[in-house]
């Protein structure tokens, strides 16, 4: 996915907690106003008796002030929600208990209102803390009934005990319900994150698809378009949303499909210098006529896929034929070698035998290349020091081949250059490139000068291996085809060497390309995959 970490949607759990705390604190203000009404209003004295007005009014005023402070401090309470709610509930219990003591005979409205505090606190707090505060609330309601400042009745004591039991029951039920709500909320948030990430992945896949995708509405306005489709319709301005103005032929075909249900399969180019495409249309759902998906199939991609399938089938067929040719060819070569050892062989016949051996050798190379093409081994990349590898390769090649007047040397950097690559595949590729450079990369009558260069593309760029010669170079028209299978300009070539080299590089997540050299010559550049970390630089360069 390009390689950014998937985003997480902003969670709204913090907003939910803030709203809950805000309404809880707002209810506390209402509770304080009710307490004030009970002890200050002249009507209250007709309903109940206030035995200690000074205590009741002092507690009501202080409780109202604290309730307003808590309401203003809602955002700060979220930082330590457990301690904040516990402190606020303790204030609620103390205020309710003090007001009950100030009233003669108690009043059922105060314990009932406190029941809401206990329940809401249990929803927001852990189970143990909820039960502890419920016990404290029960004590706060029972204490004024058992130790009244005035005359207590058996009814008030019984009501206080029932309210204490109710607090414990409500706290237990609400704590259990709160735990389930938090688990459900966490699960919903996790599913929301998963859904959001999945949406991001789907969006990334659609944007990076090779097939062009366009979503249009019933007014032919472009709602969504991916990168491939944007390129295939000529890179229009982002402000252009009318399909008829951006791609008139595509709009015409869409109109024809909407009214007749038929799709024109004729390839068309929707802009200048873009590949031809075959449009396909599909409704978003079976009953949705307003939104239509347009798929633009690049015919060049289809042609390449067909070519790859043809090459794959041809490779299997060629491998089968090569395997059948190999044994008779070996018998012919062995017989020619035995014939060449005869003492009675005339010079003209010996020349004919040499011709047979040479052509057997050439045919065997063709067979080996075809068999190698069909049974390529899986790449096993490992970390190598490209500088050391290049020096060792040049030394090995010099020992295995008589270069004569030709020159081969390695150039490395004064820093460690590490890469991830299959050493065996890299050896085969560079060996083939060096052989081609020595054979073809020379001016007529001159010695070949070949250099194997190990370097970094830039200071922080990928590692590279280059095989450079100072020969006549490769014409531009030929260079465009040198990596095609079975393409060769030599009557003795098979046309598979560079194709196999490119395939081996790609299997190791490397790339092989031809780069012209200014002033004459050719350069075949292998761009390798870097490792995760680079070691310390070596002291000085080496050249052989």
């Amino acid at each position: 996915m390009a390689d950014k970490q998937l985003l997480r949607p902003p969670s709204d759990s913090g907003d939910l907690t803030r709203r809950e705390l805000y309404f809880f604190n707002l209810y506390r203000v209402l509770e304080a106003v009710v307490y004030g009404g009970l002890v200050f209003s002249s009507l209250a004295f007709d309903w109940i008796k206030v035995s200690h007005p000074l205590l009741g009014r002092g507690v009501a005023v202080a409780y109202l002030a604290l309730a307003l402070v808590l309401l203003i401090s809602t955002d700060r309470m979220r930082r330590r929600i457990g301690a904040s709610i516990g402190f606020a509930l303790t204030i609620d219990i103390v205020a309710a208990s003090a007001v009950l003591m100030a009233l003669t005979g108690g009043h059922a409205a105060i314990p009932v209102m406190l029941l809401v505090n206990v329940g809401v606190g249990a929803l927001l707090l852990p189970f143990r803390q909820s039960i502890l505060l419920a016990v404290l609330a029960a004590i706060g309601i029972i204490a004024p009934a058992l130790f009244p400042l005035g005359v207590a009745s058996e009814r008030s004591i019984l009501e206080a005990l029932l309210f204490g039991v109710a607090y414990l029951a409500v706290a237990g039920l609400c704590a259990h319900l709160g735990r389930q709500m938090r688990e459900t909320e966490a699960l919903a948030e996790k599913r929301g994150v998963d859904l959001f990430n999945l949406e991001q992945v789907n969006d990334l896949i659609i944007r990076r698809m090779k097939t062009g995708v366009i979503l249009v509405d019933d007014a032919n306005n472009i709602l969504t378009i991916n990168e491939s489709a944007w390129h295939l319709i000529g890179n229009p301005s982002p402000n252009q949303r009318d399909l008829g103005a951006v791609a008139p032929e595509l709009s015409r075909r869409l109109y024809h499909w909407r009214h007749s249900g038929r799709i024109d399969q004729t390839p068309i180019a929707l802009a200048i210098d873009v590949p031809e495409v075959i449009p396909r249309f599909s409704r978003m759902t079976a009953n949705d006529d307003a939104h239509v998906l347009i798929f633009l199939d690049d015919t060049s991609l289809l042609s390449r896929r067909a070519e790859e399938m043809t090459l794959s089938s041809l490779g299997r067929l060629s491998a089968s034929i090569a395997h059948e040719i190999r044994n008779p060819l070996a018998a012919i070569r062995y017989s020619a070698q035995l014939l060449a050892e005869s003492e009675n062989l005339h010079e003209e016949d010996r020349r004919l035998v040499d011709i047979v051996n040479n052509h057997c050798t050439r045919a065997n190379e063709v067979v080996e290349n075809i068999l190698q093409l069909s049974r390529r081994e899986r790449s096993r990349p490992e970390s190598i020091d490209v500088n050391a590898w290049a020096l060792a390769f040049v030394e090995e090649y010099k020992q295995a081949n008589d270069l004569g007047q030709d020159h081969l040397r390695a150039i490395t950097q004064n820093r460690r250059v590490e890469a991830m690559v299959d050493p065996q595949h890299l050896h085969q590729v560079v060996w083939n490139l060096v052989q081609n450079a020595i054979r073809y990369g020379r001016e007529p009558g001159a010695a070949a000068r070949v250099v194997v260069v190990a370097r970094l593309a830039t200071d922080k760029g990928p590692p590279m291996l280059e095989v450079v010669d100072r020969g006549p170079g490769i014409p531009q028209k030929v260079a465009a085809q040198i990596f095609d299978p079975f393409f060769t300009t030599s009557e003795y070539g098979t046309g598979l060497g560079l194709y196999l080299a490119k395939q081996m590089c790609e299997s190791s997540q490397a790339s092989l390309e031809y780069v012209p050299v200014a002033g004459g010559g050719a350069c075949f550049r292998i761009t390798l995959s870097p490792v995760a970390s680079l070691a310390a630089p070596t002291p000085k360069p080496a050249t052989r």
Side-chain angles (χ1 to χ4, degrees):
M1 275 132 301
D3 302 327
K4 294 183 179 179
Q5 185 179 4
L6 293 180
L7 301 175
R8 297 174 66 93
S11 174
D12 59 352
S13 59
D15 294 336
L16 288 174
T17 303
R18 186 186 184 282
R19 286 199 297 268
E20 292 165 352
L21 283 176
Y22 175 78
F23 286 113
F24 189 20
N25 290 334
L26 190 62
Y27 173 79
R28 183 173 292 107
V29 173
L30 175 62
E31 199 172 11
V33 171
V34 171
Y35 291 175
L38 291 175
V39 296
F40 278 100
S41 175
S42 58
L43 296 176
F45 290 94
D46 297 333
W47 299 337
I48 58 175
K49 294 181 180 180
V50 181
S51 57
H52 298 81
L54 185 61
L55 173 63
R57 291 171 182 176
V59 170
V61 171
Y63 184 49
L64 179 60
L66 288 174
L68 292 173
V69 170
L70 291 174
L71 180 63
I72 297 172
S73 306
T74 299
D75 289 331
R76 294 185 179 180
M77 292 178 65
R78 292 169 55 196
R79 300 174 185 175
R80 299 183 62 184
I81 187 169
S84 299
I85 294 178
F87 173 73
L89 277 176
T90 302
I91 293 176
D92 296 339
I93 295 168
V94 172
S97 180
V99 172
L100 281 176
M101 285 187 175
L103 301 178
T104 302
H107 198 278
I110 296 176
V112 170
M113 296 191 73
L114 187 60
L115 186 64
V116 176
N117 299 63
V118 173
V120 174
L123 284 174
L124 301 176
L125 295 175
F127 179 78
R128 292 184 179 180
Q129 191 174 357
S130 303
I131 296 299
L132 178 62
L133 290 171
V135 171
L136 183 62
I139 295 173
I141 296 300
I142 296 173
L146 293 178
F147 308 102
L149 297 179
V151 179
S153 65
E154 295 181 358
R155 179 180 176 182
S156 62
I157 296 175
L158 180 60
E159 287 180 353
L161 291 174
L162 291 177
F163 274 117
V165 174
Y167 290 159
L168 293 174
V170 168
L173 292 174
C174 289
H176 179 70
L177 180 60
R179 183 173 66 250
Q180 287 187 336
M181 290 174 57
R182 287 189 290 272
E183 292 175 354
T184 303
E185 181 182 350
L187 180 60
E189 183 177 357
K190 181 178 180 300
R191 296 291 169 80
V193 171
D194 294 340
L195 184 61
F196 183 80
N197 288 340
L198 182 60
E199 182 182 353
Q200 295 287 340
V201 170
N202 291 337
D203 181 64
L204 181 61
I205 291 173
I206 292 174
R207 284 192 289 111
R208 297 299 175 86
M209 283 175 60
K210 297 297 182 183
T211 300
V213 180
I214 305 175
L215 176 64
V216 298
D217 58 14
D218 52 354
N220 268 18
N221 293 319
I222 300 175
L223 303 179
T224 304
I225 183 171
N226 69 348
E227 295 174 2
S228 297
W230 182 72
H231 171 70
L232 291 172
I233 63 177
N235 306 335
S237 170
N239 297 326
Q240 290 182 319
R241 289 292 175 177
D242 184 9
L243 184 64
V246 173
E249 178 60 22
L250 183 60
S251 177
R252 186 192 67 79
R253 292 199 182 191
L254 174 60
Y255 176 84
H256 180 71
W257 173 80
R258 275 175 165 162
H259 289 81
S260 66
R262 299 177 182 177
I263 299 178
D264 188 353
Q265 297 288 342
T266 306
I268 56 170
L270 299 176
I272 301 175
D273 297 330
V274 298
E276 290 186 337
V277 296
I278 300 177
R280 292 183 292 113
F281 308 101
S282 176
R283 292 180 175 86
M284 290 286 290
T285 60
N287 299 322
D288 186 6
D289 294 328
H291 298 89
V292 176
L293 276 173
I294 304 175
F295 299 96
L296 304 178
D297 295 325
D298 188 347
T299 55
S300 61
L301 293 177
L302 298 176
S303 300
R304 282 198 293 269
R305 290 172 187 168
E307 182 180 353
E308 290 175 358
M309 294 177 63
T310 302
L311 287 175
S312 178
S313 301
L314 181 60
R316 290 192 294 269
L317 177 61
S318 301
S320 177
I321 296 174
H323 185 71
E324 296 298 328
I325 294 176
R326 194 175 189 182
N327 292 335
L329 184 63
I332 294 172
R333 186 176 184 183
Y334 181 66
S335 300
Q337 289 175 348
L338 291 178
L339 187 60
E341 295 176 359
S342 174
E343 297 177 356
N344 300 324
L345 194 64
H346 296 290
E347 188 63 28
E348 294 182 357
D349 294 335
R350 189 177 301 278
R351 187 175 62 83
L352 294 175
V353 170
D354 290 339
I355 292 174
V356 172
N357 279 326
N358 291 336
H359 283 276
C360 284
T361 301
R362 182 187 170 203
N364 187 64
E365 290 179 357
V366 175
V367 170
E368 289 296 333
N369 284 335
I370 292 175
L371 291 176
Q372 186 179 7
L373 179 64
S374 63
R375 66 186 182 205
R376 283 175 296 178
E377 297 180 358
R378 185 176 180 180
S379 174
R380 296 179 177 85
E382 60 184 66
S383 176
I384 65 169
D385 181 355
V386 182
N387 289 332
W389 188 93
L391 295 171
F393 172 84
V394 169
E395 189 65 29
E396 179 186 355
Y397 193 92
K398 287 180 178 180
Q399 293 178 0
N401 298 273
D402 183 11
L403 296 180
Q405 299 297 320
D406 298 329
H407 300 280
L408 175 64
R409 64 193 180 103
I411 297 179
T412 60
Q413 287 188 321
N414 61 345
R415 57 187 299 178
R416 189 175 179 86
V417 180
E418 287 191 292
M420 290 294 295
V421 68
D422 186 327
Q424 183 179 359
H425 285 183
L426 183 62
H427 188 277
Q428 294 181 36
V429 171
V430 179
W431 191 282
N432 186 21
L433 295 177
V434 171
Q435 275 189 329
N436 288 344
I438 293 176
R439 184 179 302 170
Y440 306 110
R442 67 174 74 214
E443 296 291 348
R449 293 177 294 164
V450 182
V451 180
V452 178
V453 182
R455 66 183 181 90
L456 291 175
T458 58
D459 289 339
K460 297 183 180 180
M464 291 182 174
L465 262 177
E466 296 176 330
V467 178
V468 185
D469 65 67
R470 303 302 299 180
I474 302 176
Q476 184 176 0
K477 292 183 178 179
V478 176
Q481 298 176 280
I482 56 177
F483 294 109
D484 294 342
F486 306 109
F487 175 81
T488 180
T489 58
S490 173
E491 58 178 336
Y492 299 107
T494 63
L496 291 175
L498 289 178
Y499 174 74
L500 287 172
K502 189 175 181 65
Q503 294 295 313
M504 287 183 184
C505 288
E506 291 178 353
S507 67
S508 293
Q509 296 184 355
S511 62
L512 173 62
E513 60 179 333
Y514 167 73
V515 181
V517 178
C523 171
F524 284 89
R525 177 178 296 163
I526 304 173
T527 305
L528 304 169
S529 298
V531 294
S533 60
L534 297 177
T538 52
K540 57 183 179 180
T543 302
R544 290 189 183 178

